[in-house]
Amino acid sequence: RASNPGFLLILAFDIVLAGCFFPLVLGLFWSKISSLAALVSILVPTTLRIILQFTIPEEIAGAETLIPPLISLFLCVVISLIYPEQNKYILAEMMEAGDSEVDLDDVELHSATATVSAKPDILYSMGDISDTDTTDS
């Protein structure tokens, strides 16, 4: 069964579905996902999918494809709620408070899903956008 190329292709897609689908979707559409939750919800179901391939009884064949993605979704949501990403909100809170002296060296963003909507006047004061350098040469 393992030497069949069609089977190997289906297994490869099952492994990606098991570990990567829900962390990717939640990372795109849910701002509260944490990097720890994404990592755990990729590694655990992927490993589980590979183990189930060789251990699941024939009577419940097919469950090895359905169980790991559901575990991935569960782990991603629960871990994100228990261990929220703290650092990605610091810069947004400082900007909303109107602190124009934001030092970006003091702020660490650890999540790839961190998004910050900044006000243009704060960006000017931080030096990201220069309005003095608009002369044509």
Side-chain angles (χ1 to χ4, degrees), residues 99-102 119-129 131:
D99 187 3
S100 61
E101 299 297 322
V102 176
K119 300 175 185 173
D121 56 329
I122 293 175
L123 289 176
Y124 286 124
S125 66
M126 289 190 307
D128 287 346
I129 301 174
D131 60 344

Side-chain angles (χ1 to χ4, degrees), residues 88 91-92 95 109 114-118:
K88 73 179 181 180
L91 183 59
M95 288 182 163
L109 297 177
T115 56
V116 176
S117 60

Side-chain angles (χ1 to χ4, degrees), residues 71-130:
I71 291 174
S72 176
L73 175 62
F74 176 78
L75 287 173
C76 204
V77 170
V78 169
I79 293 173
S80 290
L81 293 175
I82 293 173
Y83 299 105
E85 198 78 52
Q86 297 294 323
N87 294 331
K88 73 179 181 180
Y89 299 108
I90 294 172
L91 183 59
E93 288 174 5
M94 292 170 74
M95 288 182 163
E96 286 177 9
D99 187 3
S100 61
E101 299 297 322
V102 176
D103 186 7
L104 293 178
D105 294 330
D106 293 338
V107 178
E108 296 179 27
L109 297 177
H110 294 288
S111 175
T113 61
T115 56
V116 176
S117 60
K119 300 175 185 173
D121 56 329
I122 293 175
L123 289 176
Y124 286 124
S125 66
M126 289 190 307
D128 287 346
I129 301 174
S130 175

Side-chain angles (χ1 to χ4, degrees), residues 1 52 56-66:
R1 187 170 128 164
L52 287 176
I56 199 155
E58 287 294 322
E59 297 84 40
I60 55 171
E64 72 271 14
T65 299
L66 300 175

